[in-house]
């Protein structure tokens, strides 16, 4: 978990990382840090699924996460009881989308999709300048994939098998090829296949959400050779269906994060600044 203090200009004044253990161990460290730093408000970008609906009886509770110790944990309730300052909550990926939208790669547009592709896959969505929640929050990492012809891999997602995360997250790459992605950088076939699944997901996001910018982050996207492969495949898959300037300027449409590894922290700051 990354803890940071940010001022109203988006300057990061201090930061610390602590391991995610159990709530009993981790949460007192978090609240102690913010007490010591005497912050005025806290934005929280939390792994999901998490209840982000303000009027819900379980607002601020972590839901059915695979991190068992955190399942059902009332993270906002605990922080509120310790800190007594205004708290703002969103998903970790919405946090990144908010940060990129305020200060990063999507600062000039009012809608974007932020996709993180790492140990899992998640999407954060900004529409008309606001994070999209709906009934809970988007879980676009779990949309089903059409396997590439000849691909017999069963998928790594315990819930859906061959969903996007099951086919394309870091653990799927490692299981499929026998090594983590960072050790496969030179193997073109790895990234050819990976870009096929990422492009397929992006096509769905483009058709359904109509974002003005798509930002791809997370550990897998450190393999920057993926970007041109993904852009080419998205154009091919859309097959001329969307005749819009964004697709014609695909190099500036599907992009890397603008805030390097600070988008989550700055997203938390933006949650506070945009709501006070
Ligand atoms: Zn899944």
């Amino acid at each position: 978990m990354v803890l940071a203090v940010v001022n109203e200009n988006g300057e990061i004044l201090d930061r610390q990382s602590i391991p995610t253990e159990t709530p009993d161990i981790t949460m007192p460290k978090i609240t102690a840090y913010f007490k010591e730093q005497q912050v005025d408000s806290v934005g929280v970008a939390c792994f999901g699924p998490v209840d982000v609906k303000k009027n819900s009886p379980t607002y601020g509770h972590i839901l059915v996460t695979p991190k068992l110790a955190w399942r059902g944990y009332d993270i906002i309730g605990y922080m509120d009881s310790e800190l007594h300052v205004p708290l703002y909550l969103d998903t970790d990926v919405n946090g990144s989308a908010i940060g990129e939208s305020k200060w990063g790669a999507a600062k000039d547009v009012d809608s974007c999709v932020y996709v993180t592709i790492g140990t899992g896959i998640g999407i954060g969505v900004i529409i008309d300048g606001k994070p999209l929640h709906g009934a809970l929050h988007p879980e676009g990492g779990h949309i089903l994939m059409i396997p590439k012809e000849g691909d017999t891999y069963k998928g790594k997602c315990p819930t859906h098998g061959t969903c996007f995360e099951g086919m394309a997250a870091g653990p799927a790459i490692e299981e499929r090829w026998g090594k983590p992605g960072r050790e496969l950088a030179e193997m073109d076939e790895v990234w050819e296949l990976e870009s096929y699944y990422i492009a397929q997901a992006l096509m769905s996001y483009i058709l359904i959400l109509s974002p003005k910018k798509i930002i791809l982050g997370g550990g897998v996207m450190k393999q920057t050779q993926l970007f041109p492969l993904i852009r080419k495949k998205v154009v091919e898959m859309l097959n001329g269906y969307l005749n819009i300037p964004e697709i014609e300027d695909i190099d500036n449409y599907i992009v890397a994060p603008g805030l390097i590894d600070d988008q989550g922290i700055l997203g938390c700051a933006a949650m506070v600044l945009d709501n006070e």
Side-chain angles (χ1 to χ4, degrees):
M1 304 225 181
V2 181
L3 315 176
V5 180
V6 180
N7 70 14
E8 62 275 23
N9 302 318
E11 291 160 343
I12 299 168
L13 306 177
D14 188 70
R15 96 168 64 199
Q16 265 192 24
S17 287
I18 59 166
T20 305
E21 298 177 81
T22 62
D24 287 356
I25 298 171
T26 306
M27 291 308 299
K29 291 182 187 167
I30 292 176
T31 49
Y33 173 83
F34 288 123
K35 278 181 201 166
E36 189 192 313
Q37 295 285 341
Q38 300 183 344
V39 295
D40 297 316
S41 305
V42 181
V44 180
C46 183
F47 57 84
V50 56
D51 190 343
V52 295
K53 291 191 304 278
K54 280 238 171 68
N55 53 0
S56 162
T58 53
Y59 171 72
H61 287 61
I62 296 169
L63 304 174
V64 188
T65 169
K67 298 178 178 71
L68 292 179
W70 294 83
R71 195 172 275 196
Y73 183 69
D74 181 8
I75 185 165
I76 291 297
Y78 177 80
M79 291 181 77
D80 188 38
S81 71
E82 289 288 315
L83 295 173
H84 313 295
V85 297
L87 299 169
Y88 301 90
L89 171 69
D90 217 315
T91 63
D92 46 6
V93 246
N94 261 350
S96 295
I98 293 166
E100 287 293 332
S101 169
K102 190 167 180 76
W103 285 299
K107 68 177 189 301
D108 297 328
V109 291
D110 59 5
S111 70
C112 71
V113 173
Y114 184 97
V115 189
T116 181
I117 306 172
T119 52
I121 299 181
I123 72 169
V125 182
I126 305 289
I127 299 289
D128 294 336
K130 292 198 163 56
L132 180 67
H133 292 142
L136 178 66
H137 48 70
E139 279 286 347
H142 293 269
I143 59 173
L144 290 179
M145 294 279 101
I146 301 170
K148 196 168 197 310
E149 211 181 324
D151 184 6
T152 55
Y153 182 57
K154 294 284 177 242
K156 187 80 177 153
C157 178
T159 318
H160 317 110
T162 60
C163 68
F164 183 25
E165 179 172 301
M167 292 303 258
I173 296 174
E174 183 164 354
E175 185 171 82
R176 191 195 276 276
W177 301 95
K179 284 182 193 170
R182 62 181 178 278
E183 294 175 26
L184 299 164
E186 307 301 318
M187 280 179 66
D188 292 347
E189 63 268 43
V190 173
W191 310 109
E192 194 56 39
L193 187 64
E194 180 72 8
S195 64
Y196 167 80
Y197 290 114
I198 296 172
Q200 202 183 129
L202 298 196
M203 172 159 159
S204 293
Y205 305 153
I206 292 166
L207 293 172
I208 294 168
L209 298 163
S210 197
K212 292 179 183 166
K213 193 75 87 175
I214 295 178
I215 303 160
L216 303 178
V220 171
M221 292 311 303
K222 305 271 181 197
Q223 301 292 330
T224 52
Q225 70 272 30
L226 278 168
F227 281 93
L229 299 172
I230 293 165
R231 291 174 185 133
K232 181 167 172 276
K233 287 185 175 64
V234 166
V235 171
E236 286 169 4
M237 286 176 189
L238 285 169
N239 199 19
Y241 190 76
L242 287 182
N243 195 8
I244 53 174
E246 284 81 0
I247 301 297
E248 277 160 28
D249 189 17
I250 195 93
D251 290 354
N252 290 309
Y253 183 50
I254 298 171
V255 298
L259 302 174
I260 318 298
D261 289 325
D262 293 336
Q263 59 271 32
I265 292 172
L266 292 175
C268 290
M271 274 182 223
V272 172
L273 295 170
D274 291 349
N275 287 289
E276 289 192 341

